[in-house]
Amino acid sequence: MNIINPATEEIITTLQEDNKASLNQKLQLLKTSSKDWAKKDLTERIKVIRHFSELLETEKEKLASVLTSEVGKPLQQSRNEINGARARIQWMTENSEKYLSDEQITNTDELKETISYDPLGVICNISAWNYPYLVGVNVFIPALLAGNGVMYKPSEYASLTGLEIERLLKLAGVPDGVFQIALGAKDTGEQLLDMDFDGYFFTGSYRTGQHIYERVAAKMVPCQLELGGKDPLYVADDVKDIHAVAAGTADGAFYNNGQSCCAVERIYVHEKVYDDYIASFLKEVQSWKSGLPTEEGVYIGALTRKEQLSVLENQVKDALDQGATLLQGGKRKPGKGYNFEPTVLTHVTNNMKVMQEESFGPIIGIMKVKDDAEATKLMQDTEYGLTAAVYTDDLNRAKQILKQIDSGTGYWNCCDRVSAGVPWSGRKHSGIGATLSHQGLRAFTKTKSWHLRK
Ligand code: NAD
């Protein structure tokens, strides 16, 4: 498997993919060794995971540079990602005793009723490339804290980062047989689906997620999916500072080249502030530095996957064929690297691909609306349900709209953010189950109810 730098198109290295025999061997090792890990006191596991987090900090520059080399995101965004992962680990380690320890429900002289949170066993984590530290940490850290063994399959586009994660977890004290890595692409993933895991935790596209859900259904083990989005954002007419709103929401759409599951993918703007918003939005987009992701100050780096360039070109063509206006960008950049110009389309309609299909790139469609009712209707018009955002001076107005949107997350005057203390979950085609928060810790456990009568 060749690992390619998307900014230079050079081969960084070649790795040996796993095969059926090597995966089976790893699974057997996990099944044997994870039992001892589960028996350890939770405080011991917490200590190991805290050590892992410290190692992330110590080796941050090296890790950021490896990440940037294989996914093309600007170096500063790679550093931000590692910092973000550490913040999540901190929340998880600070809260796991509260949520993973036995819980007493009834406590009388005659009867005690308690709940224990037992590990699932050995879980399989098939992961995405866009934030390998963040989406990885959402799964393998709570899984390990809860006492599970983990087979971690990083995306084929983030294999080097996967190997760094494995190295640092082991250096921190996770036993060899408790965390194993499965290297490879779709074929490796398919083989994992044939194997005997006690739970599947997937982050990736709707199409793959749906396939995995069907493939593992007969096993009757937990299967959790964190999938894509087509996240809408509405700017109402009462916002105080339209320039700040335009700058903040442009960042929400284009950070990491738009390759975020919760990137703003569609924008609806009230007609009264539309012209000012567009002017400020464009100014912001035009102020960004594009270039090699290793250059400091670059905000728009390379896309990770070459195939996405055609997806974006196709969305632009579809929009222009149906009467949209191209205000900015619209094409790939010449020369080496998978680079696409930050693209802004207006006069779009909701049936266009750019307003319906996940773009996962530096492109946005902006639409003028006449009132909240029209905005709400358009925002809700999607197969996805990850996040939705409303910018207004009035919290009640935002709540009124967000309550009508079938999404796992609602944002008022913010967007494109994830926080460790609240569940991260998608509705409709955006997924099943939740990571982060108490739910995300307990997702890696099975409960036992204890009825203890004297
Ligand atoms: P993808 O579905 O192409 O691949 C995800 C993983 O699945 C990879 O490891 C891949 O090798 C593996 N895979 C592919 N085909 C498989 C198969 N048939 N069987 C088993 N495994 C298989 O997704 P991607 O391109 O890596 O990630 C981008 C997608 O992930 C976007 O849709 C994005 O929105 C979504 N995402 C969601 C979240 C979230 O938290 N909801 C977070 C990050 C990314």
PDB file of all heavy atoms in Angstrom, residues 126-130 135 153-156 184-186 189-190 193 202-205 208 211-212 226-229 261 305 358 360 386 424 430, ligand 1:
ATOM      1  N   ILE A 126     -13.401   0.869  12.860  1.00  0.00           N
ATOM      2  CA  ILE A 126     -13.028   1.214  11.478  1.00  0.00           C
ATOM      3  C   ILE A 126     -13.180   2.732  11.345  1.00  0.00           C
ATOM      4  O   ILE A 126     -14.260   3.272  11.580  1.00  0.00           O
ATOM      5  CB  ILE A 126     -13.921   0.465  10.461  1.00  0.00           C
ATOM      6  CG1 ILE A 126     -13.751  -1.053  10.641  1.00  0.00           C
ATOM      7  CG2 ILE A 126     -13.597   0.887   9.038  1.00  0.00           C
ATOM      8  CD1 ILE A 126     -14.590  -1.914   9.708  1.00  0.00           C
ATOM      9  N   SER A 127     -12.098   3.402  10.983  1.00  0.00           N
ATOM     10  CA  SER A 127     -12.077   4.857  11.158  1.00  0.00           C
ATOM     11  C   SER A 127     -11.843   5.643   9.865  1.00  0.00           C
ATOM     12  O   SER A 127     -11.481   5.082   8.831  1.00  0.00           O
ATOM     13  CB  SER A 127     -10.990   5.196  12.190  1.00  0.00           C
ATOM     14  OG  SER A 127     -11.252   6.444  12.769  1.00  0.00           O
ATOM     15  N   ALA A 128     -12.042   6.953   9.978  1.00  0.00           N
ATOM     16  CA  ALA A 128     -11.926   7.874   8.830  1.00  0.00           C
ATOM     17  C   ALA A 128     -10.589   8.628   8.890  1.00  0.00           C
ATOM     18  O   ALA A 128      -9.884   8.601   9.894  1.00  0.00           O
ATOM     19  CB  ALA A 128     -13.095   8.854   8.849  1.00  0.00           C
ATOM     20  N   TRP A 129     -10.290   9.375   7.816  1.00  0.00           N
ATOM     21  CA  TRP A 129      -8.985  10.034   7.715  1.00  0.00           C
ATOM     22  C   TRP A 129      -9.035  11.523   8.045  1.00  0.00           C
ATOM     23  O   TRP A 129      -8.000  12.158   8.208  1.00  0.00           O
ATOM     24  CB  TRP A 129      -8.431   9.894   6.282  1.00  0.00           C
ATOM     25  CG  TRP A 129      -9.468  10.224   5.239  1.00  0.00           C
ATOM     26  CD1 TRP A 129     -10.243   9.324   4.568  1.00  0.00           C
ATOM     27  CD2 TRP A 129      -9.879  11.514   4.796  1.00  0.00           C
ATOM     28  NE1 TRP A 129     -11.121   9.977   3.733  1.00  0.00           N
ATOM     29  CE2 TRP A 129     -10.908  11.331   3.849  1.00  0.00           C
ATOM     30  CE3 TRP A 129      -9.479  12.821   5.085  1.00  0.00           C
ATOM     31  CZ2 TRP A 129     -11.539  12.392   3.207  1.00  0.00           C
ATOM     32  CZ3 TRP A 129     -10.119  13.880   4.453  1.00  0.00           C
ATOM     33  CH2 TRP A 129     -11.133  13.656   3.529  1.00  0.00           C
ATOM     34  N   ASN A 130     -10.227  12.116   8.096  1.00  0.00           N
ATOM     35  CA  ASN A 130     -10.259  13.592   8.106  1.00  0.00           C
ATOM     36  C   ASN A 130      -9.779  14.196   9.425  1.00  0.00           C
ATOM     37  O   ASN A 130      -9.173  15.274   9.428  1.00  0.00           O
ATOM     38  CB  ASN A 130     -11.643  14.111   7.723  1.00  0.00           C
ATOM     39  CG  ASN A 130     -12.745  13.616   8.618  1.00  0.00           C
ATOM     40  OD1 ASN A 130     -12.651  12.546   9.214  1.00  0.00           O
ATOM     41  ND2 ASN A 130     -13.797  14.389   8.728  1.00  0.00           N
ATOM     42  N   VAL A 135     -11.475  11.550  15.759  1.00  0.00           N
ATOM     43  CA  VAL A 135     -12.484  10.491  15.639  1.00  0.00           C
ATOM     44  C   VAL A 135     -11.964   9.175  16.216  1.00  0.00           C
ATOM     45  O   VAL A 135     -12.739   8.352  16.702  1.00  0.00           O
ATOM     46  CB  VAL A 135     -13.025  10.306  14.194  1.00  0.00           C
ATOM     47  CG1 VAL A 135     -13.700  11.557  13.698  1.00  0.00           C
ATOM     48  CG2 VAL A 135     -11.951   9.871  13.223  1.00  0.00           C
ATOM     49  N   LYS A 153      -8.716   0.021  12.889  1.00  0.00           N
ATOM     50  CA  LYS A 153      -8.361   0.139  11.476  1.00  0.00           C
ATOM     51  C   LYS A 153      -8.398   1.596  11.084  1.00  0.00           C
ATOM     52  O   LYS A 153      -9.448   2.189  10.888  1.00  0.00           O
ATOM     53  CB  LYS A 153      -9.314  -0.649  10.569  1.00  0.00           C
ATOM     54  CG  LYS A 153      -8.751  -0.671   9.138  1.00  0.00           C
ATOM     55  CD  LYS A 153      -9.746  -1.137   8.123  1.00  0.00           C
ATOM     56  CE  LYS A 153     -10.069  -0.124   7.060  1.00  0.00           C
ATOM     57  NZ  LYS A 153      -9.087   0.871   6.678  1.00  0.00           N
ATOM     58  N   PRO A 154      -7.209   2.233  10.999  1.00  0.00           N
ATOM     59  CA  PRO A 154      -7.216   3.611  10.541  1.00  0.00           C
ATOM     60  C   PRO A 154      -7.599   3.627   9.070  1.00  0.00           C
ATOM     61  O   PRO A 154      -7.511   2.600   8.389  1.00  0.00           O
ATOM     62  CB  PRO A 154      -5.753   4.049  10.713  1.00  0.00           C
ATOM     63  CG  PRO A 154      -4.954   2.800  10.684  1.00  0.00           C
ATOM     64  CD  PRO A 154      -5.855   1.688  11.160  1.00  0.00           C
ATOM     65  N   SER A 155      -8.020   4.758   8.584  1.00  0.00           N
ATOM     66  CA  SER A 155      -8.254   4.870   7.146  1.00  0.00           C
ATOM     67  C   SER A 155      -6.940   4.637   6.419  1.00  0.00           C
ATOM     68  O   SER A 155      -5.859   4.951   6.939  1.00  0.00           O
ATOM     69  CB  SER A 155      -8.768   6.269   6.829  1.00  0.00           C
ATOM     70  OG  SER A 155      -8.599   6.537   5.452  1.00  0.00           O
ATOM     71  N   GLU A 156      -7.017   4.121   5.220  1.00  0.00           N
ATOM     72  CA  GLU A 156      -5.808   3.918   4.407  1.00  0.00           C
ATOM     73  C   GLU A 156      -5.116   5.253   4.130  1.00  0.00           C
ATOM     74  O   GLU A 156      -3.934   5.285   3.789  1.00  0.00           O
ATOM     75  CB  GLU A 156      -6.151   3.188   3.099  1.00  0.00           C
ATOM     76  CG  GLU A 156      -7.195   3.849   2.199  1.00  0.00           C
ATOM     77  CD  GLU A 156      -8.642   3.484   2.555  1.00  0.00           C
ATOM     78  OE1 GLU A 156      -8.928   3.253   3.751  1.00  0.00           O
ATOM     79  OE2 GLU A 156      -9.469   3.441   1.636  1.00  0.00           O
ATOM     80  N   GLY A 184      -4.744  -1.261   5.999  1.00  0.00           N
ATOM     81  CA  GLY A 184      -5.279  -1.557   4.678  1.00  0.00           C
ATOM     82  C   GLY A 184      -6.505  -0.718   4.371  1.00  0.00           C
ATOM     83  O   GLY A 184      -6.869   0.174   5.138  1.00  0.00           O
ATOM     84  N   ALA A 185      -7.144  -1.034   3.235  1.00  0.00           N
ATOM     85  CA  ALA A 185      -8.294  -0.252   2.779  1.00  0.00           C
ATOM     86  C   ALA A 185      -9.569  -1.092   2.865  1.00  0.00           C
ATOM     87  O   ALA A 185      -9.780  -1.799   3.852  1.00  0.00           O
ATOM     88  CB  ALA A 185      -8.008   0.249   1.365  1.00  0.00           C
ATOM     89  N   LYS A 186     -10.373  -0.991   1.838  1.00  0.00           N
ATOM     90  CA  LYS A 186     -11.688  -1.646   1.840  1.00  0.00           C
ATOM     91  C   LYS A 186     -11.592  -3.164   2.109  1.00  0.00           C
ATOM     92  O   LYS A 186     -12.373  -3.704   2.901  1.00  0.00           O
ATOM     93  CB  LYS A 186     -12.331  -1.380   0.473  1.00  0.00           C
ATOM     94  CG  LYS A 186     -13.695  -1.904   0.310  1.00  0.00           C
ATOM     95  CD  LYS A 186     -14.222  -1.558  -1.064  1.00  0.00           C
ATOM     96  CE  LYS A 186     -15.508  -2.303  -1.328  1.00  0.00           C
ATOM     97  NZ  LYS A 186     -15.994  -2.109  -2.679  1.00  0.00           N
ATOM     98  N   GLY A 189     -11.077  -3.886   5.635  1.00  0.00           N
ATOM     99  CA  GLY A 189     -12.333  -3.612   6.335  1.00  0.00           C
ATOM    100  C   GLY A 189     -13.312  -4.763   6.169  1.00  0.00           C
ATOM    101  O   GLY A 189     -13.920  -5.232   7.136  1.00  0.00           O
ATOM    102  N   GLU A 190     -13.440  -5.262   4.949  1.00  0.00           N
ATOM    103  CA  GLU A 190     -14.370  -6.375   4.684  1.00  0.00           C
ATOM    104  C   GLU A 190     -13.999  -7.607   5.507  1.00  0.00           C
ATOM    105  O   GLU A 190     -14.859  -8.296   6.039  1.00  0.00           O
ATOM    106  CB  GLU A 190     -14.366  -6.733   3.195  1.00  0.00           C
ATOM    107  CG  GLU A 190     -15.090  -5.729   2.305  1.00  0.00           C
ATOM    108  CD  GLU A 190     -16.617  -5.797   2.415  1.00  0.00           C
ATOM    109  OE1 GLU A 190     -17.143  -6.759   2.994  1.00  0.00           O
ATOM    110  OE2 GLU A 190     -17.280  -4.856   1.937  1.00  0.00           O
ATOM    111  N   LEU A 193     -15.159  -7.394   8.968  1.00  0.00           N
ATOM    112  CA  LEU A 193     -16.602  -7.610   9.121  1.00  0.00           C
ATOM    113  C   LEU A 193     -16.945  -9.098   9.200  1.00  0.00           C
ATOM    114  O   LEU A 193     -17.978  -9.475   9.752  1.00  0.00           O
ATOM    115  CB  LEU A 193     -17.371  -6.964   7.955  1.00  0.00           C
ATOM    116  CG  LEU A 193     -17.140  -5.460   7.737  1.00  0.00           C
ATOM    117  CD1 LEU A 193     -18.002  -4.958   6.591  1.00  0.00           C
ATOM    118  CD2 LEU A 193     -17.430  -4.668   9.010  1.00  0.00           C
ATOM    119  N   PHE A 202     -17.884   2.479  13.817  1.00  0.00           N
ATOM    120  CA  PHE A 202     -17.442   2.953  12.502  1.00  0.00           C
ATOM    121  C   PHE A 202     -17.566   4.461  12.399  1.00  0.00           C
ATOM    122  O   PHE A 202     -18.569   5.044  12.817  1.00  0.00           O
ATOM    123  CB  PHE A 202     -18.301   2.289  11.416  1.00  0.00           C
ATOM    124  CG  PHE A 202     -18.069   2.840  10.038  1.00  0.00           C
ATOM    125  CD1 PHE A 202     -16.928   2.504   9.327  1.00  0.00           C
ATOM    126  CD2 PHE A 202     -18.983   3.722   9.461  1.00  0.00           C
ATOM    127  CE1 PHE A 202     -16.708   3.018   8.049  1.00  0.00           C
ATOM    128  CE2 PHE A 202     -18.768   4.242   8.187  1.00  0.00           C
ATOM    129  CZ  PHE A 202     -17.625   3.891   7.484  1.00  0.00           C
ATOM    130  N   THR A 203     -16.566   5.091  11.810  1.00  0.00           N
ATOM    131  CA  THR A 203     -16.665   6.501  11.426  1.00  0.00           C
ATOM    132  C   THR A 203     -16.325   6.579   9.949  1.00  0.00           C
ATOM    133  O   THR A 203     -15.256   6.124   9.535  1.00  0.00           O
ATOM    134  CB  THR A 203     -15.661   7.373  12.208  1.00  0.00           C
ATOM    135  OG1 THR A 203     -15.808   7.099  13.596  1.00  0.00           O
ATOM    136  CG2 THR A 203     -15.918   8.848  11.971  1.00  0.00           C
ATOM    137  N   GLY A 204     -17.233   7.157   9.177  1.00  0.00           N
ATOM    138  CA  GLY A 204     -16.976   7.249   7.737  1.00  0.00           C
ATOM    139  C   GLY A 204     -18.231   7.671   7.004  1.00  0.00           C
ATOM    140  O   GLY A 204     -19.128   8.294   7.579  1.00  0.00           O
ATOM    141  N   SER A 205     -18.295   7.289   5.737  1.00  0.00           N
ATOM    142  CA  SER A 205     -19.393   7.778   4.901  1.00  0.00           C
ATOM    143  C   SER A 205     -20.684   6.983   5.139  1.00  0.00           C
ATOM    144  O   SER A 205     -20.644   5.846   5.613  1.00  0.00           O
ATOM    145  CB  SER A 205     -18.986   7.655   3.432  1.00  0.00           C
ATOM    146  OG  SER A 205     -18.770   6.288   3.121  1.00  0.00           O
ATOM    147  N   THR A 208     -20.678   3.505   3.210  1.00  0.00           N
ATOM    148  CA  THR A 208     -19.946   2.409   3.850  1.00  0.00           C
ATOM    149  C   THR A 208     -20.629   2.013   5.157  1.00  0.00           C
ATOM    150  O   THR A 208     -20.728   0.832   5.486  1.00  0.00           O
ATOM    151  CB  THR A 208     -18.475   2.823   4.130  1.00  0.00           C
ATOM    152  OG1 THR A 208     -17.932   3.419   2.968  1.00  0.00           O
ATOM    153  CG2 THR A 208     -17.625   1.640   4.520  1.00  0.00           C
ATOM    154  N   HIS A 211     -23.573  -0.201   4.622  1.00  0.00           N
ATOM    155  CA  HIS A 211     -23.094  -1.536   4.227  1.00  0.00           C
ATOM    156  C   HIS A 211     -22.628  -2.319   5.461  1.00  0.00           C
ATOM    157  O   HIS A 211     -22.980  -3.486   5.633  1.00  0.00           O
ATOM    158  CB  HIS A 211     -21.943  -1.358   3.220  1.00  0.00           C
ATOM    159  CG  HIS A 211     -21.197  -2.599   2.917  1.00  0.00           C
ATOM    160  ND1 HIS A 211     -21.713  -3.613   2.124  1.00  0.00           N
ATOM    161  CD2 HIS A 211     -19.969  -3.026   3.320  1.00  0.00           C
ATOM    162  CE1 HIS A 211     -20.831  -4.595   2.056  1.00  0.00           C
ATOM    163  NE2 HIS A 211     -19.764  -4.273   2.765  1.00  0.00           N
ATOM    164  N   ILE A 212     -21.864  -1.662   6.325  1.00  0.00           N
ATOM    165  CA  ILE A 212     -21.344  -2.337   7.527  1.00  0.00           C
ATOM    166  C   ILE A 212     -22.498  -2.774   8.437  1.00  0.00           C
ATOM    167  O   ILE A 212     -22.523  -3.885   8.956  1.00  0.00           O
ATOM    168  CB  ILE A 212     -20.352  -1.409   8.271  1.00  0.00           C
ATOM    169  CG1 ILE A 212     -19.062  -1.283   7.446  1.00  0.00           C
ATOM    170  CG2 ILE A 212     -20.050  -1.910   9.688  1.00  0.00           C
ATOM    171  CD1 ILE A 212     -18.016  -0.364   8.026  1.00  0.00           C
ATOM    172  N   GLU A 226     -20.887   6.683  12.967  1.00  0.00           N
ATOM    173  CA  GLU A 226     -20.777   8.146  12.900  1.00  0.00           C
ATOM    174  C   GLU A 226     -20.520   8.501  11.442  1.00  0.00           C
ATOM    175  O   GLU A 226     -19.432   8.251  10.926  1.00  0.00           O
ATOM    176  CB  GLU A 226     -19.620   8.641  13.772  1.00  0.00           C
ATOM    177  CG  GLU A 226     -19.831   8.317  15.230  1.00  0.00           C
ATOM    178  CD  GLU A 226     -19.019   9.221  16.152  1.00  0.00           C
ATOM    179  OE1 GLU A 226     -17.997   9.783  15.725  1.00  0.00           O
ATOM    180  OE2 GLU A 226     -19.426   9.349  17.309  1.00  0.00           O
ATOM    181  N   LEU A 227     -21.528   9.082  10.815  1.00  0.00           N
ATOM    182  CA  LEU A 227     -21.471   9.223   9.354  1.00  0.00           C
ATOM    183  C   LEU A 227     -21.440  10.681   8.908  1.00  0.00           C
ATOM    184  O   LEU A 227     -21.173  11.580   9.693  1.00  0.00           O
ATOM    185  CB  LEU A 227     -22.659   8.467   8.745  1.00  0.00           C
ATOM    186  CG  LEU A 227     -22.848   7.034   9.258  1.00  0.00           C
ATOM    187  CD1 LEU A 227     -24.076   6.389   8.654  1.00  0.00           C
ATOM    188  CD2 LEU A 227     -21.609   6.197   8.979  1.00  0.00           C
ATOM    189  N   GLY A 228     -21.731  10.893   7.666  1.00  0.00           N
ATOM    190  CA  GLY A 228     -21.577  12.220   7.058  1.00  0.00           C
ATOM    191  C   GLY A 228     -22.692  13.194   7.398  1.00  0.00           C
ATOM    192  O   GLY A 228     -23.602  12.887   8.163  1.00  0.00           O
ATOM    193  N   GLY A 229     -22.602  14.372   6.811  1.00  0.00           N
ATOM    194  CA  GLY A 229     -23.618  15.389   7.059  1.00  0.00           C
ATOM    195  C   GLY A 229     -23.758  16.331   5.879  1.00  0.00           C
ATOM    196  O   GLY A 229     -22.941  16.305   4.934  1.00  0.00           O
ATOM    197  N   CYS A 261     -16.896  16.334   9.201  1.00  0.00           N
ATOM    198  CA  CYS A 261     -18.253  15.789   9.146  1.00  0.00           C
ATOM    199  C   CYS A 261     -19.258  16.875   9.494  1.00  0.00           C
ATOM    200  O   CYS A 261     -20.351  16.915   8.965  1.00  0.00           O
ATOM    201  CB  CYS A 261     -18.396  14.615  10.087  1.00  0.00           C
ATOM    202  SG  CYS A 261     -17.869  14.973  11.754  1.00  0.00           S
ATOM    203  N   ARG A 305      -7.991  13.322  -0.672  1.00  0.00           N
ATOM    204  CA  ARG A 305      -8.252  12.289  -1.686  1.00  0.00           C
ATOM    205  C   ARG A 305      -8.397  12.920  -3.062  1.00  0.00           C
ATOM    206  O   ARG A 305      -9.190  13.846  -3.250  1.00  0.00           O
ATOM    207  CB  ARG A 305      -9.532  11.527  -1.338  1.00  0.00           C
ATOM    208  CG  ARG A 305      -9.400  10.703  -0.059  1.00  0.00           C
ATOM    209  CD  ARG A 305     -10.746  10.261   0.481  1.00  0.00           C
ATOM    210  NE  ARG A 305     -11.442   9.371  -0.427  1.00  0.00           N
ATOM    211  CZ  ARG A 305     -12.563   9.683  -1.060  1.00  0.00           C
ATOM    212  NH1 ARG A 305     -13.123  10.856  -0.882  1.00  0.00           N
ATOM    213  NH2 ARG A 305     -13.133   8.834  -1.863  1.00  0.00           N
ATOM    214  N   GLU A 358     -23.197  15.459   0.242  1.00  0.00           N
ATOM    215  CA  GLU A 358     -22.070  15.905   1.068  1.00  0.00           C
ATOM    216  C   GLU A 358     -20.904  16.291   0.144  1.00  0.00           C
ATOM    217  O   GLU A 358     -20.465  15.494  -0.686  1.00  0.00           O
ATOM    218  CB  GLU A 358     -21.626  14.772   2.014  1.00  0.00           C
ATOM    219  CG  GLU A 358     -20.616  15.265   3.033  1.00  0.00           C
ATOM    220  CD  GLU A 358     -20.180  14.170   4.020  1.00  0.00           C
ATOM    221  OE1 GLU A 358     -20.028  13.013   3.619  1.00  0.00           O
ATOM    222  OE2 GLU A 358     -19.969  14.518   5.202  1.00  0.00           O
ATOM    223  N   PHE A 360     -17.791  17.704   1.193  1.00  0.00           N
ATOM    224  CA  PHE A 360     -16.516  17.331   1.825  1.00  0.00           C
ATOM    225  C   PHE A 360     -15.339  17.984   1.104  1.00  0.00           C
ATOM    226  O   PHE A 360     -14.350  17.347   0.768  1.00  0.00           O
ATOM    227  CB  PHE A 360     -16.372  15.808   1.851  1.00  0.00           C
ATOM    228  CG  PHE A 360     -15.957  15.303   3.201  1.00  0.00           C
ATOM    229  CD1 PHE A 360     -16.707  15.591   4.326  1.00  0.00           C
ATOM    230  CD2 PHE A 360     -14.794  14.558   3.366  1.00  0.00           C
ATOM    231  CE1 PHE A 360     -16.326  15.144   5.578  1.00  0.00           C
ATOM    232  CE2 PHE A 360     -14.395  14.104   4.617  1.00  0.00           C
ATOM    233  CZ  PHE A 360     -15.174  14.402   5.719  1.00  0.00           C
ATOM    234  N   LEU A 386     -26.833  15.670  11.085  1.00  0.00           N
ATOM    235  CA  LEU A 386     -25.726  15.744  12.040  1.00  0.00           C
ATOM    236  C   LEU A 386     -25.824  17.020  12.889  1.00  0.00           C
ATOM    237  O   LEU A 386     -26.064  16.952  14.086  1.00  0.00           O
ATOM    238  CB  LEU A 386     -24.390  15.661  11.298  1.00  0.00           C
ATOM    239  CG  LEU A 386     -23.166  15.371  12.165  1.00  0.00           C
ATOM    240  CD1 LEU A 386     -23.311  14.075  12.942  1.00  0.00           C
ATOM    241  CD2 LEU A 386     -21.896  15.304  11.305  1.00  0.00           C
ATOM    242  N   TRP A 424     -22.049  13.176  20.823  1.00  0.00           N
ATOM    243  CA  TRP A 424     -21.839  13.439  19.403  1.00  0.00           C
ATOM    244  C   TRP A 424     -22.577  12.355  18.647  1.00  0.00           C
ATOM    245  O   TRP A 424     -22.207  11.180  18.687  1.00  0.00           O
ATOM    246  CB  TRP A 424     -20.332  13.416  19.078  1.00  0.00           C
ATOM    247  CG  TRP A 424     -20.065  13.802  17.659  1.00  0.00           C
ATOM    248  CD1 TRP A 424     -19.507  13.022  16.679  1.00  0.00           C
ATOM    249  CD2 TRP A 424     -20.353  15.065  17.057  1.00  0.00           C
ATOM    250  NE1 TRP A 424     -19.438  13.732  15.506  1.00  0.00           N
ATOM    251  CE2 TRP A 424     -19.959  14.974  15.700  1.00  0.00           C
ATOM    252  CE3 TRP A 424     -20.919  16.249  17.514  1.00  0.00           C
ATOM    253  CZ2 TRP A 424     -20.110  16.038  14.815  1.00  0.00           C
ATOM    254  CZ3 TRP A 424     -21.075  17.303  16.622  1.00  0.00           C
ATOM    255  CH2 TRP A 424     -20.664  17.198  15.301  1.00  0.00           C
ATOM    256  N   SER A 430     -26.972  10.314   9.102  1.00  0.00           N
ATOM    257  CA  SER A 430     -25.732  10.739   9.772  1.00  0.00           C
ATOM    258  C   SER A 430     -25.308   9.787  10.879  1.00  0.00           C
ATOM    259  O   SER A 430     -24.271  10.021  11.509  1.00  0.00           O
ATOM    260  CB  SER A 430     -25.889  12.159  10.333  1.00  0.00           C
ATOM    261  OG  SER A 430     -25.992  13.083   9.278  1.00  0.00           O
TER     262      SER A 430
HETATM  263  P1  NAD B   1     -15.232   5.871   3.995  1.00  0.00           P
HETATM  264  O1  NAD B   1     -16.596   5.380   4.275  1.00  0.00           O
HETATM  265  O2  NAD B   1     -14.769   5.887   2.588  1.00  0.00           O
HETATM  266  O3  NAD B   1     -14.136   5.004   4.785  1.00  0.00           O
HETATM  267  C1  NAD B   1     -14.155   4.906   6.189  1.00  0.00           C
HETATM  268  C2  NAD B   1     -13.420   3.650   6.611  1.00  0.00           C
HETATM  269  O4  NAD B   1     -14.117   2.509   6.139  1.00  0.00           O
HETATM  270  C3  NAD B   1     -11.997   3.533   6.075  1.00  0.00           C
HETATM  271  O5  NAD B   1     -11.180   3.021   7.080  1.00  0.00           O
HETATM  272  C4  NAD B   1     -12.157   2.545   4.926  1.00  0.00           C
HETATM  273  O6  NAD B   1     -10.985   1.842   4.623  1.00  0.00           O
HETATM  274  C5  NAD B   1     -13.225   1.630   5.464  1.00  0.00           C
HETATM  275  N1  NAD B   1     -14.006   0.924   4.442  1.00  0.00           N
HETATM  276  C6  NAD B   1     -14.285   1.304   3.174  1.00  0.00           C
HETATM  277  N2  NAD B   1     -15.073   0.385   2.583  1.00  0.00           N
HETATM  278  C7  NAD B   1     -15.287  -0.592   3.482  1.00  0.00           C
HETATM  279  C8  NAD B   1     -16.022  -1.808   3.463  1.00  0.00           C
HETATM  280  N3  NAD B   1     -16.686  -2.211   2.378  1.00  0.00           N
HETATM  281  N4  NAD B   1     -16.042  -2.564   4.572  1.00  0.00           N
HETATM  282  C9  NAD B   1     -15.392  -2.191   5.702  1.00  0.00           C
HETATM  283  N5  NAD B   1     -14.658  -1.056   5.773  1.00  0.00           N
HETATM  284  C10 NAD B   1     -14.624  -0.266   4.679  1.00  0.00           C
HETATM  285  O7  NAD B   1     -15.145   7.316   4.646  1.00  0.00           O
HETATM  286  P2  NAD B   1     -13.902   8.321   4.656  1.00  0.00           P
HETATM  287  O8  NAD B   1     -13.711   8.881   3.289  1.00  0.00           O
HETATM  288  O9  NAD B   1     -12.738   7.706   5.323  1.00  0.00           O
HETATM  289  O10 NAD B   1     -14.416   9.472   5.628  1.00  0.00           O
HETATM  290  C11 NAD B   1     -15.203  10.538   5.202  1.00  0.00           C
HETATM  291  C12 NAD B   1     -16.624  10.368   5.673  1.00  0.00           C
HETATM  292  O11 NAD B   1     -16.636  10.192   7.093  1.00  0.00           O
HETATM  293  C13 NAD B   1     -17.473  11.605   5.434  1.00  0.00           C
HETATM  294  O12 NAD B   1     -18.743  11.198   4.999  1.00  0.00           O
HETATM  295  C14 NAD B   1     -17.545  12.257   6.813  1.00  0.00           C
HETATM  296  O13 NAD B   1     -18.648  13.089   6.989  1.00  0.00           O
HETATM  297  C15 NAD B   1     -17.588  11.063   7.682  1.00  0.00           C
HETATM  298  N6  NAD B   1     -17.169  11.399   9.062  1.00  0.00           N
HETATM  299  C16 NAD B   1     -18.119  11.418  10.048  1.00  0.00           C
HETATM  300  C17 NAD B   1     -17.762  11.779  11.332  1.00  0.00           C
HETATM  301  C18 NAD B   1     -18.772  11.847  12.441  1.00  0.00           C
HETATM  302  O14 NAD B   1     -18.365  11.984  13.581  1.00  0.00           O
HETATM  303  N7  NAD B   1     -20.064  11.768  12.178  1.00  0.00           N
HETATM  304  C19 NAD B   1     -16.445  12.122  11.606  1.00  0.00           C
HETATM  305  C20 NAD B   1     -15.506  12.069  10.593  1.00  0.00           C
HETATM  306  C21 NAD B   1     -15.882  11.704   9.304  1.00  0.00           C
END
